[in-house]
Amino acid sequence: MSELRWLDVLAQLYPDAACELNHQSPFELLISVILSAQTTDKAVNLVTPALFQLAPTPFAMATAPIEDLEDALKQLGLFRTKAKNIKATAQLIVEQFDGQVPRTRKQLMTLPGVGRKTANVVLSVAFDIPAVPVDTHVERIAKRLGLAKEADSVVAVEKKLQRKIPRDLWNVSHHQMIHFGRYFCTAQNPHCNACLLTNECKYFRKLQQNKRKIRP
Ligand code: SF4
């Protein structure tokens, strides 16, 4: 069986998988990804229209009163911290990067609220630079399918996926993994009974072994 069958299956399930954060520019994407920490893309999409109307550019966000940013974000958890981070990020973009979202991971990670995953999303989605952002879904799928070990760190999972997935598929396959994790191989009650990947799945094998053990 091909080592990459799992990729084919995900590609067939989600041929059009794409970023679910609404955005019109690299700046809007960057801000949306920062806001998506510990909340859903859906919740972020509800607040960003008003936010981007108030502050559509790095300069406008950098100079907007913090109370106005907080007000636009108040439906989100941690909205005060997030307002502070996006304002500081916009200020740095204006001061250090000439008002343009930077295009390297190293530079992106100097921005407040931007970790490795956020930087990878921006590289991949905004600039089409190959990257493998590892969020909770990607990490879970990689570990369940045995593409990474249970104890692996997020960075280790990223490196392993980069080795296993052809580089020209990194950008599309991470969206397919997110969709699969969000809607099918969910954290609780994954749809194993309808899954085409049971043969590849370490997690499924373990479940079956445990069932056999507890049978009288
Ligand atoms: S068999 Fe279950 S746990 Fe494994 S990949 Fe499919 S849905 Fe996920």
Side-chain angles (χ1 to χ4, degrees):
M1 192 177 298
S2 156
E3 253 192 48
L4 294 178
R5 198 185 83 92
W6 66 275
L7 265 182
D8 294 336
V9 169
L10 295 198
Q12 277 166 25
L13 280 174
Y14 306 108
D16 302 319
C19 178
E20 293 189 321
L21 288 166
N22 297 336
H23 62 280
Q24 305 290 331
S25 66
F27 177 65
E28 288 191 4
L29 175 71
L30 169 65
I31 297 301
S32 296
V33 184
I34 294 173
L35 296 179
S36 72
Q38 293 174 51
T39 188
T40 61
D41 289 0
K42 229 176 174 178
V44 173
N45 288 338
L46 285 177
V47 302
T48 46
L51 175 71
F52 295 140
Q53 197 170 14
L54 171 78
T57 63
F59 183 77
M61 195 167 284
T63 51
I66 189 77
E67 300 76 25
D68 290 357
L69 298 177
E70 286 177 357
D71 199 43
L73 301 181
K74 64 175 185 278
Q75 290 173 54
L76 297 179
L78 304 172
F79 71 94
R80 286 205 172 87
T81 308
K82 288 180 178 177
K84 205 169 99 200
N85 278 341
I86 61 172
K87 186 174 169 73
T89 284
Q91 282 167 339
L92 260 183
I93 291 175
V94 170
E95 288 160 15
Q96 311 267 327
F97 300 108
D98 222 9
Q100 302 297 318
V101 174
R103 288 172 173 251
T104 70
R105 187 190 296 124
K106 202 172 163 193
Q107 289 174 326
L108 282 162
M109 286 177 69
T110 63
L111 303 172
V114 177
R116 191 177 175 94
K117 187 212 78 179
T118 298
N120 280 338
V121 172
V122 173
L123 293 177
S124 166
V125 177
F127 301 126
D128 203 25
I129 295 169
V132 181
V134 177
D135 73 350
T136 179
H137 301 297
V138 173
E139 182 179 3
R140 184 175 67 256
I141 303 307
K143 290 181 176 177
R144 283 182 174 174
L145 290 178
L147 304 166
K149 291 206 167 82
E150 209 40 60
D152 280 341
S153 67
V154 171
V155 177
V157 173
E158 180 185 327
K159 302 272 178 217
K160 286 184 177 176
L161 289 175
Q162 284 178 338
R163 284 198 293 273
K164 289 177 197 288
I165 302 171
R167 192 179 167 85
D168 61 335
L169 296 180
W170 288 3
N171 286 353
V172 67
S173 61
H174 96 263
H175 289 307
Q176 289 162 343
M177 290 180 83
I178 290 172
H179 276 59
F180 186 58
R182 207 173 260 166
Y183 305 114
F184 197 100
C185 185
T186 43
Q188 308 296 328
N189 307 318
H191 303 291
C192 302
N193 288 343
C195 186
L196 295 173
L197 293 174
T198 48
N199 285 340
E200 284 89 346
C201 184
K202 262 176 84 174
Y203 177 91
F204 183 77
R205 273 200 300 277
K206 223 188 218 168
L207 276 184
Q208 300 306 103
Q209 281 163 5
N210 289 344
K211 270 188 199 162
R212 276 199 288 273
K213 265 189 221 157
I214 56 176
R215 251 182 229 144

